[in-house]
Amino acid sequence: MHEPTTVPEPHALLLTGPGQPSRELVQSALVRLGYSVTTAESGIEAIGQFVPGRHELVITDLHLPDVGGLEVLRKVKHRSPDTSVVVLASNSEVNDVVQALRLGASDYVLTPITDASVIEHAIRRIAEARDLARENRAYREELEVRNRELHEHIELLQRDHEAGRQLQQHLLPRTPYDYPAGIQAEYRLLPSLYLSGDFIDYGLFGERFIAFYLVDVSGHGVSSALVTALIKHSIMHLLRERPLFSQLDTIDSDLIEILELINNELRGTHLDKHASMFVGVVDSRARQLHYAVAGQVPMPALVTEEGAHWLTGKGRPLGLFKTGGWEVRHCVLPVSWRLVACSDGVLELLKGDLLKREADLLAKINQSRGDLASLCSALKVDTAESFPDDITILTLRQN
């Protein structure tokens, strides 16, 4: 049998001048919070007793009989930058408090202390910040491990690009694919190199929800293709952890969770990669489209009997910012409709500035009525020998 893991008792060093009335109150607060306390009455004594790696917390009075609290703070932070330091100061020592914070003090408490909750609150806040820092370090270590794994895959794919291309093709869904209620999903994905930074996927959830996404990772080649594999893996891992797109009242939050997940993954890989993404869910029973965009250019287009028009939406690309201002929008679907989503590489097939290219693309989508084969023919994607960027066109339709 394994013995239970014991959590080591945290140690604190308490430094106050002789006769400091707050000494016993602070020491009692530390003990109540589970600290083993070492006490000292002078700066020299405290510096001699301080042990880096053992003392997680130092509480020092700024007014000391010898070297002074600021000097103690300097020496502690020099020997152990991660050790948290709280300074005790009177109202007349405000300037010294400011200097202490500049030197790296975690907090300060004004003396005399009459309420133990004041010092306890400061200690708890520091402990929480320290725990969070440890969690962040563990998370960074995990990301570094995944980053190393990605680099290993990159080296492998550089030796055998064609094998990598076949693997990526294997990860893509079948096309075309028919779902209940007469909904069909279809796509064309043409990489500019052996491997593509574009990726799409779709699937049926329950009996009424069809979820899908199109993602365009910055750059080309092996690294971008590996990030698309990471994105699919992350989404599939999330789907294994809990059911997504199973309840109507959670559809919108599920879409945002997907964007937040991919955003955090890209920010953590340190590969200088970002991505645009269009993710949505068709509710076949209610005839409604739920969708969100993250830096998507061009916007998806909806084709109805009235013609083709761009969907509206906003949101920053993934991998660049901590939050992206993503929002879920809804669109009522008629009896017959077609949805067309393209990666920005499609715009490279057209001429003019961005506004003209988008206008020409919408015109071609309208002329083709959103039919994938007709649109590809109009854009000449089937006859071109090479492309300046990856080309992906995803269509969903219901007749």
Side-chain angles (χ1 to χ4, degrees):
M1 295 180 62
H2 296 284
E3 296 183 359
T5 302
T6 58
V7 179
E9 184 180 34
H11 291 262
L13 175 60
L14 174 59
L15 170 58
T16 59
Q20 170 58 257
S22 301
R23 181 190 187 94
E24 292 184 1
L25 189 147
V26 174
Q27 185 172 355
S28 298
L30 287 167
V31 172
R32 281 195 300 273
L33 294 174
Y35 283 85
S36 174
V37 184
T38 302
T39 62
E41 293 187 352
S42 70
I44 294 176
E45 179 185 0
I47 293 169
Q49 291 181 339
F50 176 70
V51 179
R54 180 171 184 266
H55 291 108
E56 295 184 356
L57 175 64
V58 173
I59 299 180
T60 179
D61 195 342
L62 286 181
H63 184 68
L64 296 171
D66 48 6
V67 296
L70 289 178
E71 184 61 23
V72 172
L73 171 61
R74 288 191 186 93
K75 291 185 178 298
V76 167
K77 300 301 286 187
H78 176 74
R79 295 174 62 186
S80 180
D82 292 334
T83 297
S84 301
V85 180
V86 177
V87 296
L88 306 178
S90 65
N91 287 322
S92 62
E93 297 173 311
V94 174
N95 291 335
D96 287 341
V97 168
V98 173
Q99 181 65 13
L101 294 174
R102 290 174 178 171
L103 291 173
S106 301
D107 205 346
Y108 70 93
V109 176
L110 294 178
T111 59
I113 303 172
T114 58
D115 187 353
S117 64
V118 175
I119 187 66
E120 289 182 2
H121 178 70
I123 295 171
R124 286 196 182 96
R125 186 166 60 243
I126 289 171
E128 291 171 357
R130 185 168 57 243
D131 291 342
L132 180 59
R134 288 171 178 169
E135 292 175 3
N136 288 339
R137 284 195 296 269
Y139 182 60
R140 286 196 300 270
E141 290 172 1
E142 179 183 352
L143 289 177
E144 290 172 0
V145 170
R146 297 183 70 176
N147 193 27
R148 288 195 296 270
E149 292 174 350
L150 281 173
H151 280 291
E152 291 173 0
H153 286 299
I154 289 173
E155 294 175 359
L156 175 63
L157 289 172
Q158 286 174 337
R159 294 194 296 267
D160 197 348
H161 280 182
E162 186 57 36
R165 181 175 184 175
Q166 293 177 9
L167 172 63
Q168 189 180 48
Q169 292 294 320
H170 179 73
L171 294 175
L172 290 165
R174 284 184 290 172
T175 180
Y177 196 87
D178 294 317
Y179 290 104
I183 296 176
Q184 183 184 81
E186 191 176 10
Y187 67 90
R188 193 71 55 87
L189 192 155
L190 300 168
S192 59
L193 302 174
Y194 279 102
L195 298 168
S196 174
D198 292 356
F199 196 80
I200 63 101
D201 206 357
Y202 39 73
L204 177 66
F205 295 81
E207 299 179 353
R208 61 186 286 190
F209 301 116
I210 299 168
F212 58 90
Y213 67 84
L214 183 154
V215 63
D216 182 357
V217 178
S218 62
H220 308 280
V222 176
S223 61
S224 297
L226 282 173
V227 172
T228 67
L230 172 64
I231 290 172
K232 168 146 186 173
H233 169 77
S234 299
I235 293 176
M236 296 303 296
H237 183 73
L238 180 61
L239 289 171
R240 287 192 296 269
E241 287 184 341
R242 69 175 190 84
L244 295 178
F245 312 124
S246 59
Q247 300 293 331
L248 180 60
D249 57 355
T250 62
I251 291 295
D252 291 1
S253 60
D254 290 343
L255 291 173
I256 295 298
E257 184 172 356
I258 291 290
L259 294 177
E260 290 175 343
L261 170 70
I262 303 308
N263 186 62
N264 291 334
E265 290 283 6
L266 291 179
R267 282 167 54 83
T269 57
H270 307 299
L271 290 176
D272 293 326
K273 294 292 182 182
H274 62 275
S276 62
M277 192 171 189
F278 170 49
V279 57
V281 174
V282 173
D283 182 350
S284 61
R285 183 179 302 171
R287 289 191 173 276
Q288 189 173 49
L289 170 66
H290 305 244
Y291 70 92
V293 295
Q296 179 67 27
V297 177
M299 289 293 290
L302 183 65
V303 184
T304 64
E305 292 182 355
E306 288 75 25
H309 66 274
W310 299 121
L311 295 178
T312 61
K314 63 179 182 179
R316 292 173 174 174
L318 305 174
L320 295 177
F321 307 95
K322 186 175 181 180
T323 59
W326 310 294
E327 57 184 28
V328 177
R329 299 201 175 186
H330 309 96
C331 178
V332 177
L333 299 172
V335 175
S336 178
W337 56 270
R338 296 198 180 196
L339 180 66
V340 181
C342 305
S343 64
D344 62 0
V346 172
L347 296 175
E348 298 296 326
L349 304 175
L350 303 170
K351 297 180 180 179
D353 58 22
L354 178 59
L355 292 178
K356 185 177 185 305
R357 293 183 185 191
E358 288 182 331
D360 288 348
L361 176 59
L362 186 63
K364 292 184 183 298
I365 292 174
N366 187 54
Q367 292 167 5
S368 67
R369 303 302 300 162
D371 178 72
L372 180 62
S374 300
L375 180 58
C376 288
S377 176
L379 293 169
K380 299 182 173 57
V381 299
D382 293 323
T383 56
E385 296 182 357
S386 61
F387 306 101
D389 197 359
D390 302 325
I391 304 293
T392 300
I393 304 174
L394 168 66
T395 64
L396 284 89
R397 67 180 184 179
Q398 184 178 34
N399 295 325

